Amino acid sequence: MFACCLALLALISCSSGGGELDESAPGPGPGPGPAGSGGQWSDPLTWGGNTPPESGDSVFIGAGQTVVLDTDTAALDCLRIEGTLVADSSLNVAVTANCIEVLSGGTLQIGSESQPYDRRATITLTGPRGLHQARAEDNALDNDGVQRAIRVMDGGSLKLFGATPGLLRSKLSAHASAGATTLALADPVDWQANDKIAVSLTDFFGVGETEVLTLAADSVGNMISTTTGLQTFRWGLLQYPVDVAVSGSAVSLNPGTFTPASPSTPTVLDERAEIINLTRRIVVQGADDVDWSNEGFGAHVMVMGLQSVAQVRGVEFRRCGQRRAMGRYPFHWHMLSFTPADAAGQGGGSFLGSADPADHFLQDSSVWNSENRAVTVHGTCGVNVSNVYAVDIKGHAFFMEDGSESDNQISGCVAMKVRDPGLTHRMKVHDNLASGFWLTNPDNTITQNSASDCDGRGLWNSFADRCFGHSRNVGIEPLFIVIRQFDDNTGHSNAEQGIMTEFPVADEAGNLTSRRYLERYTPGQEWEFTMRRNITWKNNRSGYRNRVMAARYEDWTAADNNSKDFEGSTLRGAIMSGTLLIGSSLNNATPFMDPTRSGVASYHHELNFEDLTAINYPYSAPVLTSNGQFVHGGGVFDGADLYTIGVSLGLARSPGWRLINSHPGYLTAPPYFDGFPLQINSGANNGFRHWSIAGATWDPHGYWGPAGNYLVHDKLFYTFGLTSYVPASPVGFNVISTPDNFSGIKPIIIDNEQSVLSSFRPMRLARLDASNLEIAEHTVGDPNVSIFFGGKTSFTVAQGGRYKLTLPGTPLPTSSLEMRFANAYRSTDNFLIGLPWPGTVPVAGRLESGLYGLNLSTAVAEGRMRVFSNTGNSIVDVLTDSTGSTIWQDNANNCVWIQHVGGLTFPISGDPLSDQNLERLQILRLYPQ
C-alpha cells in the first residue's frame, strides 16, 4: 500500500474544520508524493518503486515535480499540487478525490490552448459534507470550503482545455411538436450520440420548461435525434414584419415589404428555440451520492489571488454548487482585486489590481444541475466569461457578488431554467427572484447573452449605492457608475421581466430597495450610456423595466411580452429609438395573462420613444387593475401613469412613430371619469380611488387624430364649449380630438403648507356655463379613505372655460393660496376661475412666470409678473379686462374671481421639449392685502 511505503509522512485528511474560512489559507500540510522529479502516475518508479496511490490516500506533488496522469486514479483523499499534474493527451483519464488544491507554483493541466484535449477526462470530487455553520448577516451557511473543491491558491494555475465541436449552440429551423425526437437545426453540427442538449422555452414561463435531452445518434448535417421526446411544443421559424396585415397580422413567415420608422430598426423576429450542447471532453463533477441527492452538496471551483491562473475552455461542470453555502459555486473567482473585509466587516477594501484576461477566462463550457449558482465573479476585475451555458441552476446563475466587480466581460453566455432555491435554502433574499444574470456593477461588458425560463428576471441590473460582503469597505458606488456596454442581449420566457435595471440591494441580507436612482450620473450630461439591440419576448411581467437616468436605448426588439414591453422612470428624459415592437406575433398559442396588451409606458414621459415601429397592437377595452389603482387598455401607448399634472405634453418628445395594424393606445381617464366605481372596496388605503390623471393629452404628431390637437375624454366637463372636435377611433374609445387648448392646474397649496399636504384634502372643481351655472364637476375626494398617491391631484381646464374651486370640509385659507398653471402661457390662453378666500380678509395677489429671485418691480418691468388689482365689482369686470389684472373678491360667497390670461415672458433655456419648457409653469399667489 502506497501509504505504508511512505510511512514517515503522515497521511493528511481534508476534513472540514468548521467556521468561516480564511479562503486563501492553505489546506492540509504536505502529504506523501512522488519520488524525485516525477513521472507517469501509473508507474511505480514515480512513487519510489511503490504501488501508485490507493483509495483513501492523500497525495502531495511537490515543487519541481511533474506527474503525467496516464490512468484513472484511485479514490483519493486530498490531492495537493505544488509542482505539475498534467494529463497524457493521448489517453482517457480520471481523477477522483475528496478535494484538490493547486498551491502557489503548482499547475493542474489537461490539454493546452494550442492542442485542446480530445479524449475524455473526468474529475470527480467526493469529500463529505461536514460541518456547516449559520451566518449572522444573511441566510447562508459557512463551511471551510475544502471538501469537493478545486481550490486554486494565489500563484497556482488551473489550465483545462477541452476540444469542442465546431458549433456548440444553434436554434431550431422548424417547429418541433410535443413528443418530437427529431429536431432540425439552423446549422450543421458535429454532435455525438449520448451528448446532452438543452432546449429552451419558446412560450411564456410556466408553459413547459427547459428540457435536457440525450442524443440518440451522431448528428447528420443539421438533424439531431433524441432518446426521448419533447414534453411541449417549441417554435422554430423566423418571423418577418410587413407593412400590410394579412389575416389580421402584420407578421409573416416569409419576408415581405416592410418600411420601419428608422433604417436601423430590426427587421426580423427570432423566437426560435435555442439548442445548446452541454457535453464536453473534460468534466468536473461532484459525487452522485447521498450528500448530493439529499443535501445538494456538490463540487466547486474557487480561484484565489491575483497571481493565480485560471484558463478554462471546453469544460463541463455538473452536480456542482453547495446548497446554501456562501462562496461554494461551480466556478468562482474570489477577491482577486480587493483585500477582503474580515469576519466582523472591518478592514480590507484596498485595490490590488485587475486580472489579466489572458490568464483568467472561462469559455466554451457548460454548467448544469447546480445547487448554488453557475459562475460567480466576486471582488474581481478583468476576467473573461464567454460562451458558457448554465442550465438547471439554483439561485442567480451568472453572479457578480458584491458590486466591486468591474472591467469584466460576459459575452455569448446562456442561462436556462434558473430557479428559486426555496425559502429555507436561499442565501440572499433576492434569490427568491433567481435570474439568469445578476449584475451589480455597471462598469462591465455584457454582450450577446441570453436568459430564459428564470423564476426572476432574465438579466437584472441591480446597481446599489455601495458594495457589500467582503467588499463592503471598497470605495466604489456602483449607482454612480456609467454602464460600460450592455448590447445584443436577450431575455425571454421569464417569470418577471426579460431585462431590468432597478431594485438595488439594500443590506447584507439581500433585501432590495425600490428607491429611484435620484442622484445617478452627472446632471446635464446627455446620454451617459447607450444600450443597443437588446431583445425581450414572451416574458410574464413585461419586457424591460428601467429606473436609470439619461439612458439611450437603440434598436431594441420586443414582442409578445405580457403586460407592457417597456416601462420606466428616469427623472430625466431617456430616449428609446429605432425600436421594433410586436404586440402579438404568430407564436401565439398561449393567450396573454393580462387582458390588456400595451407597448410602452413612459412614466410621465420620462422615457420617450423616437422612431418607434409598432405592429399588431389592437385597441382593447379598459380594465381596472386588481388592486384598483389604474385603468389600462390596449394599444401602443399606456397612459395610466400620466398623473403628475392635468395636461400631458410629453409626446412632443416621441416623434416618428410608424403604426402598422396598431392603435396608438388607450388613454386612461381620471378615476372620476373612467367609468369604473370610485369605491372599489373598503379598508385602509384601499377604498375610494381619489387622485388625478391628465384629462388632456397633446397629440403633436397626429397619432390619434389631426396633428397638434388635444385628446380629451368625451365628458361634458371637458367637451363643453369646444369650438370643434372629432371622435378618436375606434367608436366607443370615448376620446375626442380638438384644436382647442387645454391647461393643467396643480397643486393647490393653502397657508404655506408643504405641497405634498395639498393631496390630503378633498377638492372640487365645478365647470360653469356662460351664466355661471354649474354644468359638470370633477371631484378629488378624501385620501384618508382612498388609495393614496401623494401629490397626484390635479385638474384640467379648457381654453375659455369657466370654473369654480372649492375645498369641501377644509377651512378657508387666511394667509396664502398658491396654484400652478401648466400650458397656459400664450397670450391667447385664458380661463375664468373662482378660488376660495374669506370675504373678511381683503385679498391681493400676483401671477409669476415661474422664475424666482427677482424683486417685484424688476419682474413686472420685464413682463415676468402680473400684479392683481382687487378693483372689480363683478365677474363682468374681471372678464372685460383683457390683461387679466382685475380680480373681484366676492365677499358674500368667500370667493375671488380671476381671469387667467397668458402672455408673461418665459425665457426658454436648454431643451425646448423639456417639461419645463413645454409646460412653462405660471404660479398664482393670493395673500392678504
Side-chain angles (χ1 to χ4, degrees), residues 9-17 26-32 56-59 76-80 98-99 101 127-128 144 146-147:
L9 295 174
L11 298 179
I12 303 299
S13 171
C14 295
S15 60
S16 172
D57 287 343
S58 288
V59 176
L76 306 174
D77 183 3
C78 193
L79 171 60
R80 305 182 70 244
N98 283 345
C99 54
E101 197 163 77
D144 67 5
V146 173
Q147 296 300 328

Side-chain angles (χ1 to χ4, degrees), residues 304-612:
M304 295 169 277
L306 195 57
Q307 303 308 311
S308 63
V309 171
Q311 299 173 332
V312 180
R313 182 179 296 141
V315 177
E316 176 184 349
F317 299 85
R318 63 191 184 200
R319 292 196 297 274
C320 288
Q322 297 178 359
R323 181 185 295 164
R324 199 180 156 196
M326 181 59 67
R328 312 300 176 235
Y329 316 123
F331 198 92
H332 173 200
W333 281 281
H334 177 77
M335 299 302 293
L336 270 64
S337 296
F338 298 93
T339 55
D342 63 22
Q346 303 300 309
S350 298
F351 182 62
L352 301 174
S354 291
D356 184 343
D359 285 337
H360 287 276
F361 55 78
L362 176 65
Q363 299 172 339
D364 300 340
S365 297
S366 67
V367 182
W368 63 286
N369 195 12
S370 168
E371 282 291 322
N372 193 357
R373 316 210 186 287
V375 180
T376 295
V377 181
H378 180 202
T380 298
C381 307
V383 304
N384 179 290
V385 181
S386 58
N387 302 316
V388 177
Y389 309 139
V391 177
D392 193 8
I393 309 298
K394 300 294 197 309
H396 307 299
F398 294 89
F399 186 69
M400 291 190 178
E401 189 156 337
D402 289 348
S404 62
E405 303 81 14
S406 66
D407 196 27
N408 300 292
Q409 179 173 333
I410 301 179
S411 63
C413 296
V414 176
M416 296 182 187
K417 193 179 177 183
V418 181
R419 296 291 181 258
D420 175 3
L423 179 61
T424 59
H425 299 320
R426 295 173 197 146
M427 293 194 304
K428 298 290 186 181
V429 172
H430 48 70
D431 278 316
N432 70 322
L433 294 170
S435 300
F437 296 78
W438 168 265
L439 305 168
T440 54
N441 189 307
D443 190 19
N444 291 284
T445 299
I446 312 296
T447 58
Q448 298 180 316
N449 303 292
S450 174
S452 63
D453 191 17
C454 301
D455 277 358
R457 285 97 194 185
L459 296 97
W460 186 352
N461 297 319
S462 176
F463 305 143
D465 56 5
R466 61 189 177 95
C467 297
F468 292 89
H470 280 312
S471 304
R472 68 189 71 186
N473 298 321
V474 173
I476 290 176
E477 298 175 298
L479 180 64
F480 303 102
I481 299 173
V482 172
I483 289 175
R484 176 183 290 199
Q485 188 175 8
F486 190 99
D487 298 339
D488 301 296
N489 301 293
T490 299
H492 72 91
S493 305
N494 296 295
E496 297 287 320
Q497 294 81 7
I499 303 174
M500 190 176 78
T501 307
E502 191 183 5
F503 292 118
V505 180
D507 55 33
E508 293 288 348
N511 290 295
L512 304 172
T513 175
S514 60
R515 64 164 286 190
R516 298 172 70 183
Y517 295 114
L518 296 175
E519 301 169 343
R520 183 170 184 153
Y521 306 140
T522 305
Q525 185 176 337
E526 188 177 21
W527 315 136
E528 286 131 344
F529 65 87
T530 300
M531 300 167 74
R532 300 176 178 87
R533 298 177 302 277
N534 296 293
I535 302 169
T536 67
W537 53 274
K538 286 283 183 181
N539 295 289
N540 289 15
R541 287 284 302 276
S542 81
Y544 176 69
R545 183 174 173 89
N546 160 78
R547 276 186 185 253
V548 296
M549 301 170 72
R552 190 170 190 102
Y553 305 97
E554 292 183 352
D555 306 330
W556 286 45
T557 299
D560 297 318
N561 294 296
N562 194 58
S563 186
K564 304 173 186 66
D565 290 301
F566 296 106
E567 57 184 336
S569 163
T570 63
L571 288 184
R572 284 198 290 131
I575 294 291
M576 178 165 277
S577 63
T579 303
L580 174 65
L581 297 180
I582 297 179
S584 179
S585 76
L586 300 175
N587 180 14
N588 58 11
T590 303
F592 292 110
M593 288 160 273
D594 191 327
T596 64
R597 174 80 173 95
S598 55
V600 297
S602 69
Y603 206 76
H604 328 308
H605 304 292
E606 291 172 352
L607 179 58
N608 303 295
F609 306 91
E610 294 179 350
D611 298 332
L612 177 154

Side-chain angles (χ1 to χ4, degrees), residues 372 774 804:
N372 193 357
E774 182 175 323
K804 184 176 182 180

Side-chain angles (χ1 to χ4, degrees), residues 48-266:
N50 299 301
T51 303
E54 296 182 357
S55 180
D57 287 343
S58 288
V59 176
F60 175 73
I61 299 174
Q65 295 178 321
T66 297
V67 176
V68 178
L69 184 65
D70 62 342
T71 186
D72 296 354
T73 72
L76 306 174
D77 183 3
C78 193
L79 171 60
R80 305 182 70 244
I81 305 168
E82 197 173 71
T84 298
L85 177 63
V86 58
D88 187 321
S89 62
S90 66
L91 299 173
N92 295 334
V93 297
V95 176
T96 301
N98 283 345
C99 54
I100 298 174
E101 197 163 77
V102 185
L103 303 174
S104 179
T107 298
L108 172 59
Q109 181 164 355
I110 304 176
S112 66
E113 194 155 15
S114 60
Q115 291 185 309
Y117 184 78
D118 63 1
R119 310 297 289 178
R120 299 285 178 182
T122 303
I123 300 174
T124 304
L125 298 160
T126 58
R129 183 172 182 269
L131 179 65
H132 286 59
Q133 294 183 341
R135 292 161 53 92
E137 59 265 45
D138 49 31
N139 191 51
L141 300 173
D142 280 319
N143 63 31
D144 67 5
V146 173
Q147 296 300 328
R148 299 199 184 185
I150 297 177
R151 298 204 306 158
V152 183
M153 312 305 285
D154 196 10
S157 295
L158 179 66
K159 299 182 178 182
L160 305 178
F161 294 91
T164 62
L167 194 68
L168 298 172
R169 175 184 181 186
S170 186
K171 293 190 175 185
L172 289 181
S173 63
H175 295 331
S177 300
T181 57
T182 301
L183 305 177
L185 305 187
D187 310 280
V189 295
D190 55 343
W191 299 349
Q192 297 179 352
N194 297 316
D195 281 0
K196 297 289 186 181
I197 64 166
V199 184
S200 74
L201 278 182
T202 59
D203 210 325
F204 290 114
F205 177 88
V207 183
E209 66 176 3
T210 303
E211 297 185 40
V212 176
L213 305 175
T214 303
L215 294 190
D218 293 352
S219 60
V220 178
N222 68 335
M223 301 300 295
I224 59 174
S225 60
T226 59
T227 59
T228 56
L230 285 169
Q231 295 298 307
T232 55
F233 168 85
R234 297 301 200 272
W235 185 267
L237 296 174
L238 292 172
Q239 301 181 70
Y240 302 90
V242 293
D243 286 340
V244 179
V246 176
S247 301
S249 177
V251 176
S252 173
L253 296 179
N254 300 299
T257 302
F258 175 50
T259 312
S262 167
S264 60
T265 297

Side-chain angles (χ1 to χ4, degrees), residues 763-920:
M763 292 180 283
R764 182 177 186 272
L765 189 67
R767 183 78 194 262
L768 311 177
D769 64 11
S771 300
N772 299 319
L773 299 176
E774 182 175 323
I775 57 168
E777 68 165 352
H778 181 188
T779 295
V780 178
D782 183 358
N784 292 318
V785 291
S786 172
I787 297 174
F788 170 62
F789 290 90
K792 298 167 179 62
T793 52
S794 62
F795 294 107
T796 306
V797 297
Q799 181 173 294
R802 298 189 182 194
Y803 303 88
K804 184 176 182 180
L805 177 71
T806 55
L807 308 174
T810 300
L812 293 169
T814 57
S815 61
S816 68
L817 183 149
E818 177 185 313
M819 63 175 56
R820 299 183 183 188
F821 301 146
N823 196 41
Y825 60 88
R826 292 164 287 262
S827 60
T828 55
D829 291 334
N830 68 89
F831 53 84
L832 178 72
I833 187 166
L835 301 176
W837 191 266
T840 57
V841 180
V843 71
R846 63 182 186 267
L847 183 71
E848 304 172 10
S849 67
L851 299 177
Y852 300 91
L854 297 177
N855 62 49
L856 184 64
S857 59
T858 300
V860 171
E862 294 184 1
R864 302 183 186 186
M865 181 181 293
R866 179 182 303 141
V867 178
F868 296 142
S869 174
N870 187 4
T871 57
N873 294 305
S874 66
I875 289 178
V876 173
D877 289 344
V878 174
L879 291 174
T880 54
D881 182 358
S882 61
T883 69
S885 298
T886 300
I887 63 175
W888 171 45
Q889 185 170 3
D890 181 0
N891 296 330
N893 294 296
N894 294 320
C895 183
V896 175
W897 290 93
I898 299 169
Q899 179 180 211
H900 172 77
V901 178
L904 293 180
T905 300
F906 194 105
I908 291 182
S909 61
D911 180 6
L913 297 182
S914 67
D915 284 346
Q916 177 183 2
N917 288 324
L918 287 172
E919 295 173 354
R920 303 193 198 184

